[in-house]
Amino acid sequence: MTDRAEPAPRLPTQLEVSGLLRRVQAEGGFAMVLAKGEPDSGSLLVVITNKGNDSKAMERMPSPDGGRVWTVARRESIDNQQDFADWLDRRRQQDPDLWIVELDIPNGERFIGSSIATG
């Protein structure tokens, strides 16, 4: 027997995405699906931006305690915005089950959860 707690049941990705879209839009922001993945168990990558500026891609990554935390996977460079778009395209090609959702709202991190690692 281990000391680790059983992981909480996972919400189907399409349901999580739907909830994100509704919550952001209810707060006056803009949210859209950039790529649809596997409806039940696809991974989720969230692009957070504010009026199209300072975009960053957030993903859930394994944490030392066995859980998963939201982590900044990539930041958009002001000098080379195309690099960020190309990176998103490569991620999608590498994982056809991946959902990519963009949230355009101030402090968009608040919509994806309280456990966010900075990196």
Side-chain angles (χ1 to χ4, degrees):
M1 190 167 195
T2 65
D3 290 338
R4 285 191 180 173
E6 288 291 319
R10 185 170 174 200
L11 191 63
T13 309
Q14 67 181 354
L15 191 57
E16 183 177 8
V17 167
S18 178
L20 271 173
L21 298 177
R22 287 183 181 152
R23 288 177 40 220
V24 169
Q25 291 167 349
E27 293 278 334
F30 176 77
M32 71 182 228
V33 175
L34 301 177
K36 282 187 178 183
E38 206 287 319
D40 294 321
S41 61
S43 297
L44 177 58
L45 187 146
V46 178
V47 176
I48 296 176
T49 190
N50 186 13
K51 297 181 183 174
N53 297 311
D54 194 29
S55 297
K56 61 186 151 215
M58 307 284 295
E59 289 186 89
R60 285 190 197 99
M61 302 299 276
S63 65
D65 67 1
R68 297 180 70 76
V69 295
W70 285 98
T71 305
V72 177
R74 185 80 165 208
R75 291 183 186 276
E76 181 180 51
S77 168
I78 295 171
D79 299 330
N80 189 356
Q81 295 176 330
Q82 187 61 45
D83 182 57
F84 187 77
D86 291 344
W87 181 82
L88 290 174
D89 287 341
R90 284 192 307 273
R91 285 300 317 276
R92 179 67 177 149
Q93 290 171 7
Q94 292 168 352
D95 183 359
D97 293 335
L98 179 70
W99 287 76
I100 302 176
V101 176
E102 181 177 270
L103 310 180
D104 193 338
I105 190 167
N107 303 313
E109 294 87 349
R110 64 192 155 120
F111 293 96
I112 61 171
S114 58
S115 55
I116 298 175
T118 57

